Amino acid sequence: MPESCRSSCEIHVQEVICGDPSCSPVDTAVLLQFASGGQGQFGIPADPKEITEDDLKEFMPPNNILVEWFNGNSVVWSPYDDMPDEYALDPDMLRFNVGDKVECRVGTDPITGWEKGEVIQIFYREQNWPPGQVAPYKIELVSGKMIFAPQ
């Protein structure tokens, strides 16, 4: 993170338990909040206690995005934004395929905040999203609700 952004940054880290046996059993969600009101988030597929400096370098948004958040700008960032175009929409990079059954964190409770669903689309995007921004998955929950999942 640029030195100029550090003093006004509040960092919130949350351990997220994944109930899917094919994914990392624990992910780390990181929320960065700046005094300007700007904020952003990213995830690291590892237990918080096991995260290394190399993990941070790999998964943290680039400095230009951090500066935008620091300045109070609402900029959406996806790790896919920094991938070369030829890799950005490669289905082999995803953990799940269309039709896969998944469990999604839809609530705040780590025990009861999960709901089963099915991946119905990969590389989902909405019309109002910035160019090139996609969510890896669109999921239909057993309740019938449609969501998108960031990882």
Side-chain angles (χ1 to χ4, degrees):
M1 177 180 297
E3 189 71 39
S4 61
C5 300
R6 294 179 186 179
S7 65
S8 76
C9 183
E10 197 171 285
I11 302 170
H12 302 269
V13 178
Q14 181 177 356
E15 183 179 272
V16 180
I17 306 298
C18 182
D20 186 326
S22 66
C23 73
S24 172
V26 178
D27 289 337
T28 300
V30 180
L31 172 66
L32 305 176
Q33 292 182 309
F34 296 91
S36 64
Q39 67 178 20
Q41 60 186 2
F42 63 98
I44 302 173
D47 186 300
K49 296 180 290 263
E50 298 172 358
I51 293 175
T52 66
E53 188 173 335
D54 287 339
D55 292 329
L56 287 172
K57 288 177 182 175
E58 179 180 353
F59 293 101
M60 194 160 185
N63 284 346
N64 65 312
I65 297 297
L66 296 170
V67 169
E68 290 289 334
W69 293 344
F70 170 79
N71 289 329
N73 297 320
S74 179
V75 177
V76 178
W77 173 79
S78 164
Y80 299 108
D81 292 346
D82 299 326
M83 290 183 189
D85 288 341
E86 64 267 22
Y87 300 112
L89 299 178
D90 181 359
D92 292 335
M93 296 178 63
L94 300 177
R95 293 187 291 171
F96 305 111
N97 294 305
V98 172
D100 284 355
K101 305 296 185 201
V102 294
E103 284 192 52
C104 302
R105 180 81 178 259
V106 295
T108 57
D109 187 283
I111 305 297
T112 63
W114 296 85
E115 188 171 338
K116 293 180 188 280
E118 180 178 335
V119 176
I120 61 169
Q121 182 181 341
I122 58 172
F123 302 118
Y124 171 73
R125 65 174 276 104
E126 294 191 355
Q127 288 182 336
N128 61 338
W129 289 0
Q133 182 181 350
V134 297
Y137 311 104
K138 181 175 183 181
I139 298 167
E140 182 175 6
L141 300 174
V142 293
S143 65
K145 183 177 179 181
M146 299 287 189
I147 65 169
F148 65 88
Q151 48 181 323

